[in-house]
Amino acid sequence: MPALGEVASSREAALYVVKLGSATLLHSQVFDELLELSRRGARLLVIAGGAAGIAEHYRRTGREIRTLVSRNGDEIRYCPPSEMRHIVAAYEEVTLPLVEEELTRRGLSVFAAVARTGALVKATVNGPLRVREDGRTRLVRDHRAGTVSSVDVPRLTGLLSTFDVVCLSPPVADAEGGTPLNVDADVLAAEAALALDADHLRLVTGTAGLLTDPADPASSLRHLTEGEGRRYAKGRMRQKVRAAEIALRGTSDTAITGPHTLSAAGATWFWRAPAPAPDLDLLARTVELSSVSRDEREIAEFLAEWCADHGVKAEIDAANNLVATKGAGSRRLLMLGHLDTVPHRWPVRWDGEVLSGRGSVDAKGSLVTYLQTLASYDPPEGVELRVVGAVEEEITGAGAFHVRDAYPADAVVVGEPSGAEALTLGYYGLVKVRFSVREPTGHTAGEGVRTAGDRMVDVLSKVPAAVAALHPDALTAVLGVSALNQGDTQSGEAVVDVRVPPGLDPDETVAALRALASGPVRADVLRATPGVTTRRTSPLVKAFQRAFSEEGVTPRYLMKKGSSDMNTLATTWRGVPMVAYGPGDARLDHTPDEHLHADEFRRAQRLLTAAVREWSSM
């Protein structure tokens, strides 16, 4: 198996932290959903609630569940030291075996344990508990409840890389020693998501998220920011809201989902970066949703639901692309954006009207302008407008290859940052090759022995000259190198990226790189797409020119040395005019300073809508 991915990144698969209440554990569909997530490659940490399991264990053993009433009237399970071993037993003998059995039956490997095991999670003891009793308030000092203080990230990360599913439950270890400490399972899930830098946190409940009226199952609150949900939360839902707001300190996208499902359709989302104006809501939320390459399903489903709410037909196709369509006819305009981003780990935020966050420029800002244009504009008869949010643009181009073969078009606008007042007319092509070697180990003191590292250095040292001989404007970069002695064998890999100017055949570039792989070294082509350009005289460019003129803009025309899904379409599409347009400064792509100003976004929205209108009326 290759040591280096398509972009030579060490980024691990997406991590879901999923809290399942004890009632949800009785619904088999939630385990089917976990299986589907695992099949998509996600890492899964499940936090299991135990109210039903504790009740069952106490019934079996003939014990009485002792409760207290808090000052605000909530019933609390009383957990003195003498009771903790029975609570641990309830999880270990009822709740965790249920989870393990359901998942194992589906072919998943499972590690299931209470979180105090090996001190995977530690907590500090809470102070005395104030309770109501006989109309009076008293202090309970022996209640064994705590606040999470640490999570053993290295060991949990190791477990997540070993097992398909890791399942933890309360209680946790007392950081100061002594009997275990009970903690709220929702809060445990939130703290674990924070510590592990999770991509997604789902708090699964028996209702469709948080309801404004508990008696009305259709009264779900769809979008909340910190502090907004507390006025509606009652009983156990208070802890879910509290947990969701704890998670806002991190980077995961967070939702309370249900009834008894992981699906976020109809869920309550919690957002850490509320937009300063309603027309920026979709932009802000899309940027907050984690969608690193191969983890685009959540954002695709979110945007499909948004489209349905705004009268746009949308679906997720066989390649997992989002496909939204309006109108029908023989003239077809494709607006092709992408859902995925390169890896990131910092919270999204607004500074006034400047949105900072991964994807704001590359290229969720563009995709959102396309979707909002589609929702706001009704094409004339005979015109079909289609927006596609493609998957894996940043790595394999898989989504765009599917688009190339499934959605023919007469003109294409590609969603990449050009800046609101510029238009990209073309891109360099891309050739990406993996060099690799695997051969028996030889002693380095032997005559003529070459290590895997030597082999990689040899071939990489020849790449720049070989590429320069093809075209002086071609660019090369080594994305990553790995060379290891693995017992009886040595293995080495290197991923090389070549940017191919228009006019240079990518097959010629591939042949030149293959020629460098001699002896035991082999070369495998990961990607080969041509450079592409569109003339200014094309009808598509003229439609943008008129839009720019309406706005009083003198546009800049760009030829980019990067590549995009435009190049993928160009592998087979001939004579189809294609440009790239979207808000933002492309120099910020893939950087920790990625940000987008609301004025830039709005201007791009106006200009794009005008250009689409002009093209549709031609």
Side-chain angles (χ1 to χ4, degrees), residues 166 292 335 466:
V166 175
V292 173
M335 291 178 275

Side-chain angles (χ1 to χ4, degrees), residues 8-342:
S9 170
S10 61
R11 167 71 169 169
E12 294 184 280
L15 173 60
Y16 278 78
V17 177
V18 179
K19 191 275 177 168
L20 302 178
S22 59
T24 295
L25 297 178
L26 302 178
H27 292 259
S28 62
Q29 77 170 28
V30 79
F31 296 103
D32 294 333
E33 291 171 336
L34 290 170
L35 173 62
E36 179 58 29
L37 286 177
S38 180
R39 285 175 173 169
R40 297 206 310 246
R43 297 176 296 150
L44 298 172
L45 173 61
V46 172
I47 305 297
I54 292 170
E56 173 61 17
H57 178 74
Y58 274 53
R59 185 192 64 78
R60 293 177 187 177
T61 57
R63 294 187 64 80
E64 178 186 357
I65 296 178
R66 302 166 66 185
T67 61
L68 302 168
V69 178
S70 71
R71 287 187 298 174
N72 62 11
D74 290 337
E75 191 173 79
I76 301 168
R77 188 182 305 112
Y78 181 31
C79 302
S82 61
E83 212 62 38
M84 291 309 298
R85 65 186 182 91
H86 301 289
I87 292 174
V88 170
Y91 281 103
E92 292 182 336
E93 297 174 20
V94 180
T95 301
L96 294 173
L98 169 63
V99 175
E100 190 167 9
E101 179 184 351
E102 289 281 3
L103 294 172
T104 301
R105 192 190 317 148
R106 288 164 172 79
L108 298 172
S109 61
V110 185
F111 174 88
V114 294
R116 70 133 185 197
T117 302
L120 286 170
V121 181
K122 295 180 181 179
T124 56
V125 182
N126 291 340
L129 183 64
R130 294 182 180 272
V131 301
R132 282 187 0 208
E133 191 175 273
D134 298 327
R136 304 174 66 179
T137 299
R138 73 178 182 92
L139 291 180
V140 176
R141 301 182 184 278
D142 63 349
H143 183 59
R144 295 292 293 169
T147 301
V148 172
S149 58
S150 67
V151 175
D152 193 332
V153 172
R155 293 178 65 202
L156 270 178
T157 300
L159 289 169
L160 288 164
S161 66
T162 303
F163 294 90
D164 295 323
V165 184
V166 175
C167 179
L168 299 181
S169 71
V172 303
D174 184 349
E176 302 299 326
T179 56
L181 292 173
N182 200 20
V183 295
D184 178 79
D186 291 294
V187 172
L188 174 58
E191 294 287 1
L194 276 177
L196 292 165
D197 212 10
D199 298 271
H200 313 285
L201 173 64
R202 299 293 178 263
L203 306 170
V204 185
T205 187
T207 60
L210 178 60
L211 307 180
T212 59
D213 178 2
D216 180 3
S219 64
S220 303
L221 282 163
R222 300 299 305 283
H223 304 286
L224 294 174
T225 58
E226 187 171 3
E228 291 181 340
R230 298 170 195 168
R231 59 182 290 200
Y232 299 102
K234 309 294 182 185
R236 288 291 310 149
M237 189 60 77
R238 289 196 189 100
Q239 289 295 75
K240 295 187 187 302
V241 171
R242 177 185 169 214
E245 293 190 351
I246 287 171
L248 294 180
R249 301 201 304 262
T251 57
S252 64
D253 53 55
T254 300
I256 298 177
T257 70
H260 308 300
T261 176
L262 290 171
S263 171
T268 298
W269 290 95
F270 288 78
W271 306 108
R272 59 180 54 81
D279 65 318
L280 303 173
D281 281 343
L282 184 62
L283 173 65
R285 292 166 185 171
T286 302
V287 173
E288 277 205 48
L289 286 167
S290 182
S291 59
V292 173
S293 302
R294 294 204 172 99
D295 180 35
E296 301 100 334
R297 186 74 183 195
E298 294 286 348
I299 194 171
E301 292 180 349
F302 179 86
L303 292 174
E305 190 174 7
W306 182 89
C307 287
D309 290 342
H310 288 78
V312 176
K313 177 184 174 184
E315 63 180 356
I316 297 172
D317 69 13
N320 291 315
N321 297 322
L322 169 75
V323 183
T325 309
K326 207 170 187 184
S330 59
R331 297 190 68 229
R332 298 158 299 186
L333 176 65
L334 171 65
M335 291 178 275
L336 176 59
H338 64 90
L339 299 167
D340 62 322
T341 71
V342 297

Side-chain angles (χ1 to χ4, degrees), residues 366 370 413-416 418-420 422-423 544 548 579-582 604 607-608:
S366 298
Y370 292 9
V413 184
V414 172
E416 294 289 347
S418 57
L423 190 67
F544 271 93
F548 286 129
V579 298
Y581 183 73
L607 282 160
L608 176 70

